[in-house]
Amino acid sequence: MGFAQSLSGVNAASSQLDTIGNNISNSQTVGFKSSTTQFADIFANSQGLGTRVSDTVQNFGTGSLETTGRNLDLAIAGDGFFQFSQNEQMAYSRNGQLTMSADGYFENAQGARLTDQQGEPLQITEFSQGAQATEGANGAQAAFNLDAEAETIDRDPDDFDPENADTYSYVTNAGTVYDSLGVGHDMSLYYTKTDTNTWEARASIPNPGGGDPLVSDPQTLTFNGNGQLDPDADPNGDGTVGVTALAFTADAGELGNGANELSFDIDLDGTTQNGEDFELREFAQNGNASGTFVGVEITENGEIMANYSNGNSGEVGTIGMANFRNPAGLTPEGDNLWTATEESGAALLGQAGTGQIGSLESGTVEASNVDLTQELVDMIIAQRNFQANNNAIQTQSDILETVTNLR
């Protein structure tokens, strides 16, 4: 009986040493979770028969977050797992070291693909963007403050001259607009105070042929006593109230570079007249030059933004995250991956930073949660346990030998 009891202790201590050795060997593995060996006693008819390994429990405590500066390295600040598709099976990981394949998939080192919340692999499909002309009723938006203390300029509307500063009150380069070939044109906006609370606005771009600038027709803006655009004014005198859009058109012949007609409205809503300096507060437009893919950014909520050389960006998709009611029930598959089991429960899918799922940190990885100091202490204890059981076996052997030698 003593042999069997001590042998069970040797086997249990050996299993514990295996677990400790595995923890230590993975102390530098990103996203690794340490394990602990648990024991249970064996009894039959109130007779102790030794010990056995009852379970090996995984510790899903968070490891420290370490900055790498690489934008495809991701760490989860809190609970949750990345969801990967591998061999038509879903697997889960805390290791967010990603690369991008030649065809635009986000993969780990073993080729498993990061998925969205529907379990579909995330992929960048557009590695270039075509040129887009600035166009439409909301082709551009601009908001200014116009100086209420500016002097009124008394001139005929036809006497406006962009080369003569005496014919307008204020001019600024608002931004760049684009034709159908993606050629950028610097657009200037001119404002002329024509009466109390009344201004004339014009838009202009340089003439591609080198002649006089291409200038829009004027648009009258009327402000109320609070310095806001008057929603009840009829600036064009045609019964249409609340007009705040400035139309700009340059036909193909005027552009002279083979592009189509450039035509869009500039929405001036939000422009004010106050006793402050002239100031451009906002400018945006919907055109762009052609561009090529230059990289991605990943937000803390898991949104993947593809960036292009023309300054544009577009959302590719959102990283699908998962959590489990009992993470300790997950089955480790190696390569920093786990799969769900009945014990873990089904994956609870969600978005990073919501519910019980932590937010993402780009340029960061989660280090192994192995505590080397504790593991070394546990190894000494397990070694002593192994030696004690081995000594018990040796003692049993010595007693049997003594009994055998009795005469």
Side-chain angles (χ1 to χ4, degrees):
M1 185 71 71
F3 280 112
Q5 294 165 334
S6 298
L7 182 59
S8 69
V10 168
N11 291 333
S14 178
S15 295
Q16 184 182 21
L17 285 169
D18 288 342
T19 300
I20 294 171
N22 187 58
N23 289 343
I24 293 174
S25 67
N26 283 284
S27 62
Q28 300 302 309
T29 301
V30 171
F32 178 79
K33 300 304 176 186
S34 62
S35 298
T36 303
T37 300
Q38 296 183 344
F39 304 117
D41 55 2
I42 303 173
F43 268 82
N45 298 322
S46 300
Q47 176 66 48
L49 301 180
T51 188
R52 63 181 177 84
V53 174
S54 61
D55 198 3
T56 300
V57 178
Q58 300 173 92
N59 171 18
F60 280 92
T62 304
S64 61
L65 303 186
E66 299 178 352
T67 301
T68 65
R70 180 176 173 271
N71 65 341
L72 284 180
D73 284 342
L74 300 176
I76 306 171
D79 296 332
F81 296 82
F82 299 107
Q83 183 175 246
F84 289 90
S85 174
Q86 186 177 49
N87 299 326
E88 300 184 354
Q89 182 182 23
M90 289 300 172
Y92 306 90
S93 180
R94 294 281 298 190
N95 182 357
Q97 292 177 304
L98 303 175
T99 59
M100 185 182 296
S101 67
D103 47 0
Y105 290 101
F106 298 90
E107 299 179 342
N108 67 8
Q110 291 72 41
R113 291 175 173 174
L114 190 67
T115 70
D116 60 19
Q117 291 177 327
Q118 287 70 46
E120 297 297 324
L122 289 163
Q123 182 185 21
I124 292 178
T125 57
E126 295 183 3
F127 287 91
S128 64
Q129 281 190 336
Q132 171 65 47
T134 304
E135 60 184 1
N138 294 308
Q141 302 86 40
F144 287 82
N145 180 68
L146 305 179
D147 188 354
E149 298 181 334
E151 295 184 1
T152 299
I153 296 178
D154 185 14
R155 62 160 173 77
D156 188 278
D158 293 335
D159 291 338
F160 171 78
D161 182 0
E163 303 297 330
N164 183 357
D166 292 334
T167 64
Y168 53 85
S169 305
Y170 175 64
V171 61
T172 186
N173 183 350
T176 302
V177 295
Y178 295 89
D179 61 30
S180 61
L181 297 178
V183 176
H185 304 272
D186 292 332
M187 186 178 72
S188 297
L189 290 177
Y190 294 83
Y191 288 94
T192 307
K193 188 173 183 180
T194 57
D195 202 348
T196 303
N197 293 343
T198 304
W199 294 74
E200 177 190 272
R202 296 176 189 257
S204 170
I205 64 171
N207 191 320
D212 293 336
L214 307 181
V215 183
S216 73
D217 292 333
Q219 170 64 49
T220 299
L221 301 177
T222 303
F223 295 90
N224 60 26
N226 294 321
Q228 308 297 316
L229 285 167
D230 189 348
D232 299 321
D234 179 11
N236 297 326
D238 59 1
T240 305
V241 299
V243 175
T244 61
L246 171 60
F248 179 87
T249 300
D251 63 35
E254 289 177 315
L255 293 174
N257 62 355
N260 298 329
E261 177 184 79
L262 179 61
S263 179
F264 57 91
D265 289 346
I266 307 164
D267 185 0
L268 299 175
D269 191 27
T271 295
T272 58
Q273 177 194 244
N274 291 316
E276 301 174 2
D277 292 340
F278 290 103
E279 181 186 10
L280 172 63
R281 292 176 172 171
E282 177 186 347
F283 178 78
Q285 56 83 44
N286 61 10
N288 59 260
S290 60
T292 57
F293 174 76
V294 295
V296 298
E297 292 181 5
I298 301 175
T299 70
E300 64 180 12
N301 291 326
E303 297 168 349
I304 300 178
M305 308 298 296
N307 297 326
Y308 298 89
S309 59
N310 56 12
N312 285 355
S313 62
E315 185 178 342
V316 176
T318 302
I319 296 174
M321 304 293 292
N323 205 353
F324 296 87
R325 290 188 175 88
N326 177 29
L330 294 170
T331 297
E333 302 292 347
D335 296 327
N336 290 324
L337 295 174
W338 288 269
T339 53
T341 65
E342 289 186 5
E343 188 177 351
S344 69
L348 306 174
L349 303 181
Q351 185 175 354
T354 62
Q356 299 299 313
I357 299 176
S359 60
L360 298 184
E361 294 194 17
S362 180
T364 306
V365 295
E366 180 188 1
S368 168
N369 69 351
V370 172
D371 183 343
L372 272 178
T373 301
Q374 185 62 53
E375 294 297 331
L376 291 174
V377 171
D378 290 344
M379 183 173 63
I380 293 172
I381 295 172
Q383 183 182 15
R384 292 290 183 262
N385 184 26
F386 184 93
Q387 291 173 338
N389 281 281
N390 189 60
N391 289 340
I393 292 174
Q394 183 62 50
T395 300
Q396 292 286 339
S397 176
D398 291 344
I399 291 173
L400 283 177
E401 183 178 358
T402 300
V403 171
T404 302
N405 292 331
L406 290 175
R407 288 182 169 71

